[in-house]
Each structure stands twice: as C-alpha cells, then as structure tokens.
Amino acid sequence: MNESATEKIRTIETPEGTFTVRLILDDLGKIYPGMVRYTVEVLYGTEPVYTYAINSYEVPPGSLFETRKVAEIVFARLAHDVVSRPKTYTRPRVFTRPLPGRGTYDVVILQGSPRRFGNSARAASWCDDEADRAGLSSRVFFLQEMDIRSCIGCYTCYNYGYCPIDDDMPWIIQALESASIIVVCTPVYTSTVPAGLKAVMDRCQWLHAREKILGSEVRARGLLIAVAGRRGKEPFACVTPVVNAFMENLGIRPTGSVLVGDLDRARDIRTIEGVEDEIRSALRALLGLGAEG
C-alpha cells in the first residue's frame, strides 16, 4: 500500500526512562499522485505515546512551509519537550475519535431528501420494510435531520484514518463500513443530488481514507433509487454518475437503479402503477430472495 522509511531518530534518556522520537516518511503516491505523509512519533520504551502527522496534500500551493519542513520543526520541538518535561510523555496522548461502538446494520439506506414524508422517503420506507421482511437489520438515515457538515478538504483523514470535524458523521461511517447493502434514495435537485446528500458523499472521503490507510474494507452492493419531477431519462443524467462515482470510490458495487420520473404531474409516487413493486423487487434481488420474496 505504501512505503515507509525512518528519516530521523533520536533516543533520549531521562529520569522517567528511555524515549525515542522518530520521523517517518510514507509514500502514499498510490492513493493520490505525489502524496507523502510525515509522521513524528514519541515512544516511551516501545509504546507510542504521542503521534503527529502531516501530508503533502494538506499544504496548499504557495504555502510558506513545505510539508517536510513542518515535520522537521515538530520533530525538533518534541525532542526538546521530552527533555524538558518527560513525565508528560509517560502516558499515551491519543487524538483520535473512534467510531461508535454500536450502530451496525445489514442494510443502510441514505435518504437524501429534506422532506421526511416525500417521495424518496416513501421509497426508502419500502426498502426498509423489505429488509425487515427478510429478517435483516436496517437503518434509514434521514440526512437532513442530522448534523453533517461539509468536507473542508483538510486531508487529515489520510494521516490518522479519522475526520476532525465533530458532528454526526461517525454514525454513518460505522454503518456504511459494516453494511452488505447500501441504498441511496434521492430526489433530483437542479439535475443532481440535494446538498445534504452531497455533503455526506464528500465526507465519505473519510471512509476512503480508512480503507487506504487502515485497511478497512466496504464489501457492500449498492442500489440507487431516484425520483424526478420531469419525465424521461434526461433529469437523471447527472444523478446516476454522481451516485455511481460515490459508490465506486468506496468499493461499493453499483448493481443498478430505479429511476422514477414525471412526479410533477403524478405528485405521489404511490399513484404510479408498478413502481412500488419495482423498488421492492430491486431490493429483494440484492437480498437474494427472488421476485416472490
């Protein structure tokens, strides 16, 4: 996955014991072109007690500092700090935010509409019901009702495998990582997905980083269900590739889509003949239950 090399190392003897400060270079070019990560570790004996990491994608073009220079400054300051106050580094100082200890499901449904009782929400409820009939655990995430902030492109997730933004996203990451089926239910907003759903997709770079950095793996199959006001295929020309790109980026295998148009006229998806059966059948096929369930 990546090649590591110890660039610098310093052993420090103190009244508290032996410390080692080391600077490690990781070539992450297989993840992103030219990406390099520098990690500065403090070890108390053989136990890591402090870690700082920075990668080359964090530093914007034209910055006053180069990534390596920043890492070298941190290395020097940490070595000085260990000498000055070694007792501070005798216990681990962990700056990660683990995923929730609960919240795993067989089927995860991302409901992208801000309308809880709208047409895509109705489609999500049919999928949820089919999972329940099959005896599987499922969860509909009503994204509009969650605190999900936009990705800020900090690339910190490629250092530690976690996102520093404090919001509800860990619950979604945990669920996606454990699911066997992922359904995206969305309306078409200005020819693409609503902002709340797009924010979740962007923040799932965190999950991409977990896969690449920590070796996590998403083994789910994905289904897109999209609804639009206009009839025909044109309203879905952008939505389909956007959702497929999101799935493929995470290793989710897209297995098809159910696209329902003409809702400006029909208004209620339940009035369109055959649509409910089509959606339920699409999910049953993923569950391996066949047309009859």
Side-chain angles (χ1 to χ4, degrees):
M1 182 73 64
N2 59 303
E3 297 182 4
S4 299
T6 300
E7 297 287 292
K8 290 187 176 184
I9 188 167
R10 181 176 174 185
T11 302
I12 302 169
E13 298 292 344
T14 76
E16 305 296 335
T18 302
F19 293 87
T20 303
V21 184
R22 61 186 184 184
L23 172 60
I24 303 168
L25 179 151
D26 288 292
D27 182 357
L28 304 183
K30 292 182 180 179
I31 300 176
Y32 285 116
M35 178 179 272
V36 175
R37 181 182 62 200
Y38 291 93
T39 303
V40 183
E41 286 187 330
V42 178
L43 286 77
Y44 180 46
T46 59
E47 180 183 13
V49 292
Y50 185 91
T51 302
Y52 170 87
I54 185 171
N55 69 69
S56 54
Y57 271 50
E58 289 182 74
V59 180
S63 174
L64 294 176
F65 289 102
E66 295 179 351
T67 309
R68 182 185 180 89
K69 186 64 176 178
V70 172
E72 289 178 342
I73 291 171
V74 172
F75 176 87
R77 290 186 174 180
L78 277 174
H80 179 270
D81 203 41
V82 169
V83 172
S84 302
R85 46 176 193 162
K87 193 170 184 178
T88 304
Y89 294 91
T90 56
R91 60 187 183 279
R93 301 168 67 189
V94 181
F95 299 98
T96 61
R97 206 155 49 89
L99 297 184
R102 55 189 176 84
T104 60
Y105 309 92
D106 300 310
V107 180
V108 171
I109 304 160
L110 301 179
Q111 203 292 95
S113 173
R115 304 178 67 189
R116 187 177 180 92
F117 302 104
N119 289 310
S120 64
R122 177 65 62 182
S125 73
W126 293 334
C127 293
D128 191 33
D129 183 56
E130 283 300 321
D132 183 63
R133 290 183 181 185
L136 300 176
S137 61
S138 63
R139 167 75 182 271
V140 180
F141 285 97
F142 292 90
L143 305 180
Q144 185 69 17
E145 299 174 13
M146 302 178 70
D147 177 21
I148 305 294
R149 303 179 192 178
S150 300
C151 176
I152 60 174
C154 67
Y155 290 94
T156 299
C157 53
Y158 291 94
N159 293 334
Y160 305 105
Y162 82 99
C163 177
I165 299 175
D166 186 9
D167 61 5
D168 292 337
M169 195 64 195
W171 297 98
I172 295 176
I173 296 295
Q174 170 82 321
L176 293 178
E177 202 169 74
S178 63
S180 57
I181 295 173
I182 296 168
V183 183
V184 176
C185 292
T186 180
V188 176
Y189 277 22
T190 320
S191 298
T192 187
V193 299
L197 176 56
K198 186 57 168 63
V200 168
M201 291 179 175
D202 292 343
R203 289 287 302 286
C204 277
Q205 283 300 110
W206 174 5
L207 184 49
H208 181 265
R210 286 179 60 81
E211 293 174 327
K212 300 300 183 181
I213 302 299
L214 302 181
S216 301
E217 187 175 0
V218 176
R219 299 181 178 180
R221 290 171 292 168
L223 173 66
L224 165 64
I225 300 172
V227 299
R230 292 179 293 150
R231 65 178 63 184
K233 295 183 178 180
E234 183 182 354
F236 305 102
C238 183
V239 167
T240 301
V242 164
V243 174
N244 283 346
F246 156 72
M247 291 184 180
E248 290 167 359
N249 186 49
L250 300 178
I252 302 166
R253 290 168 289 160
T255 58
S257 58
V258 179
L259 309 177
V260 184
D262 203 23
L263 281 163
D264 282 346
R265 180 189 60 80
R267 301 298 296 168
D268 189 337
I269 194 173
R270 293 171 294 183
T271 66
I272 301 178
E273 185 177 356
V275 167
E276 179 178 351
D277 288 340
E278 183 180 3
I279 290 172
R280 288 180 178 272
S281 294
L283 188 64
R284 283 200 298 270
L286 286 182
L287 298 175
L289 299 178
E292 299 300 322

